[in-house]
Amino acid sequence: MTPLRAKYIRDLVIRGRSKHTQEAYTRYVRDLARYYRRSPELISYEEVTGWLYHLIKERQLSASSVNIAVSAVRFLYAVTLGRDTLDLMASVPHMKRATRRAEVYARSEVEAILTAPLQPRDRVLLMTVYGCGLRISEATQLKTSDIDRARMQLRVRDGKGAKGRVLPLSERLLKELGNYWRAQRQGKTGHDSPWLFLGKTVGQPMSTYAGQNIYYSALKKSGVRYKGGIHTLRHYPGFRTITSKAPVAAPNPLITRLGAALVCRFTRHSQSSA
């Protein structure tokens, strides 16, 4: 790691940028350096503009992706390198994002997607995203200790903007989590890892990239027409954050059926491995 990159990451951490933001910003700054084959310290603002034009016209990145790149270079030159960035701000403004009407899946389509994966882990990951209205980055960072069985709640520790929240947990979803635990975690390698959804590396959480691939594979297998990425599964009006003064919203109707016969057993398994 170069000294500049180390300082850049340190500045991001000090200013409270999330791990996801750190990775995204660092990736774009690295891309800028590779594009010109020299350190960003030696790249002019005019060249930064040329790189952004390349991202838009040649690589055809979305407006949201380009805006992340803009924020990454602005932070680099203004904060890490401590330069006057008035000219940079003028030459690399944020792009206006096109407003599109979000599409949502019908209930039958969602059911087809959720039941498509053969692996219990993959199936319950999609159910958790849908049933609790999670972002994929939030779902992959869940720990077994985030499941509050007594209150039937799921805690999200680091959501968007580094904010946590508490969500309703249905009996059906808890049952599916129990099935996953017994089939792929109990007594297996990495069973004592605190992460709920394990990735390829032993004891490490699943990556967001892997989570997205699970969704796309399930979508293809289900035969449902594509209406958007895994984030589309969050588009359900029943999702609400639980606060001390607000009533608990009803869980997603697709994940509410069946009894809670496995709750106690799953509780014992999870507590012994956390």
Side-chain angles (χ1 to χ4, degrees):
M1 182 183 296
T2 65
L4 178 60
R5 182 178 178 184
K7 186 175 185 297
Y8 184 63
I9 295 174
R10 185 199 66 180
D11 291 338
L12 289 168
V13 172
I14 289 174
R15 283 158 182 80
R17 300 302 194 271
S18 69
K19 183 179 179 181
H20 182 73
T21 299
Q22 295 171 38
E23 293 172 349
Y25 279 24
T26 303
R27 183 170 62 250
Y28 278 114
V29 171
R30 183 171 61 246
D31 187 90
L32 172 65
R34 287 177 176 174
Y35 184 72
Y36 287 110
R37 296 184 179 180
R38 29 185 224 278
S39 171
E41 294 176 280
L42 307 176
I43 296 174
S44 68
Y45 291 165
E46 181 62 28
E47 288 175 315
V48 172
T49 304
W51 169 68
L52 289 171
Y53 181 78
H54 163 75
L55 297 182
I56 297 168
K57 298 297 290 185
E58 309 226 354
R59 290 171 54 178
Q60 298 184 338
L61 296 189
S62 65
S64 58
S65 295
V66 173
N67 286 339
I68 294 173
V70 169
S71 297
V73 295
R74 283 184 174 183
F75 188 96
L76 170 71
Y77 289 103
V79 179
T80 302
L81 295 177
R83 295 180 183 174
D84 182 355
T85 56
L86 187 61
D87 291 340
L88 179 66
M89 297 289 190
S91 60
V92 291
H94 283 101
M95 290 183 66
K96 184 177 180 180
R97 298 175 60 179
T99 302
R100 296 188 305 171
R101 183 179 179 180
E103 287 192 90
V104 295
Y105 291 110
R107 182 174 298 187
S108 60
E109 293 175 323
V110 173
E111 192 163 10
I113 295 171
L114 297 185
T115 56
L118 295 177
Q119 293 292 331
R121 181 201 65 173
D122 298 352
R123 188 165 55 249
V124 78
L125 171 73
L126 297 181
M127 286 185 171
T128 303
V129 169
Y130 179 75
C132 295
L134 301 183
R135 299 172 179 86
I136 184 59
S137 58
E138 296 170 341
T140 55
Q141 291 298 306
L142 287 174
K143 295 183 177 181
T144 56
S145 57
D146 293 328
I147 301 173
D148 188 339
R149 301 154 193 82
R151 297 181 177 86
M152 295 299 289
Q153 296 174 2
L154 184 72
R155 296 188 182 91
V156 178
R157 289 168 288 104
D158 296 309
K160 188 174 182 180
K163 295 179 181 178
R165 64 188 191 279
V166 181
L167 298 163
L169 180 65
S170 72
E171 293 178 349
R172 169 69 188 280
L173 182 53
L174 188 59
K175 178 180 183 294
E176 292 291 345
L177 285 165
N179 292 338
Y180 154 59
W181 186 270
R182 288 191 303 277
Q184 294 183 300
R185 289 291 301 274
Q186 186 179 3
K188 305 293 194 304
T189 302
H191 74 277
D192 55 347
S193 172
W195 304 105
L196 183 57
F197 300 112
L198 299 182
K200 290 184 177 180
T201 305
V202 176
Q204 293 301 308
M206 178 190 296
S207 67
T208 56
Y209 179 75
Q212 290 167 344
N213 280 344
I214 289 171
Y215 165 76
Y216 287 117
S217 295
L219 183 65
K220 182 178 180 180
K221 185 178 179 182
S222 69
V224 174
R225 180 177 68 84
Y226 173 82
K227 294 183 180 180
I230 191 170
H231 198 78
T232 310
L233 294 181
R234 298 186 68 236
H235 294 168
Y236 181 76
F239 298 140
R240 296 291 185 271
T241 298
I242 303 173
T243 65
S244 58
K245 297 181 180 180
V248 176
N252 198 303
L254 281 184
I255 315 290
T256 55
R257 293 184 292 275
L258 302 182
L262 300 176
V263 173
C264 293
R265 277 181 285 171
F266 179 58
T267 300
R268 289 196 297 270
H269 293 323
S270 300
Q271 286 177 340
S272 64
S273 64

